Amino acid sequence: MHTWPEQEAKARFSEFLDACLVEGPQMVTRRGTETAVLVPVQEWRRLQSAARPSLKQLLLSDRARTDMTAAPCGKAKRRPVEPLL
C-alpha cells in the first residue's frame, strides 16, 4: 500500500485516485500519522457486507441465538387496573 502525505494527496488527487483504482488501497498521513485510506468502491462494499451480516445470515448461522441479550421477563411495572363502573 502506497502512503501519501495529506498535502501531496490533495495536490495530486487525480493521480492519487488513479493509484487507488489500479494498485488498490492508498494510505493518507497527516503529520506522519496514518489518518485515512482511500479504497476502490468494490472493496468498500465487500468490507461493509463482511462487517454486518444480513438477517438471513444471522438466522442461518451456526452461532447460538441464545447468546443474544433480551430484556428480563417480569420486571416491567404495570399500571394499576381501574375498576369498571
Side-chain angles (χ1 to χ4, degrees):
M1 179 177 337
H2 183 73
T3 301
W4 298 71
E6 178 186 17
Q7 292 300 320
E8 186 178 347
K10 287 164 74 173
R12 299 170 43 198
F13 186 77
S14 291
E15 186 179 336
F16 176 53
L17 182 58
D18 289 340
C20 173
L21 297 174
V22 173
E23 300 170 21
Q26 303 291 304
M27 177 72 65
V28 180
T29 61
R30 179 182 282 170
R31 293 183 217 103
T33 303
E34 294 178 341
T35 308
V37 178
L38 180 67
V39 295
V41 71
Q42 298 88 354
E43 179 74 6
W44 175 254
R45 288 186 178 133
R46 184 188 68 76
L47 291 169
Q48 287 294 310
S49 66
R52 286 185 278 169
S54 68
L55 177 60
K56 179 180 177 181
Q57 290 170 325
L58 284 173
L59 293 173
L60 295 175
S61 74
D62 293 336
R63 188 178 134 225
R65 286 184 282 282
T66 57
D67 294 346
M68 298 178 194
T69 50
C73 295
K75 299 292 182 185
K77 294 185 178 183
R78 297 181 182 193
R79 292 185 295 182
V81 178
E82 296 183 23
L84 296 174
L85 298 176

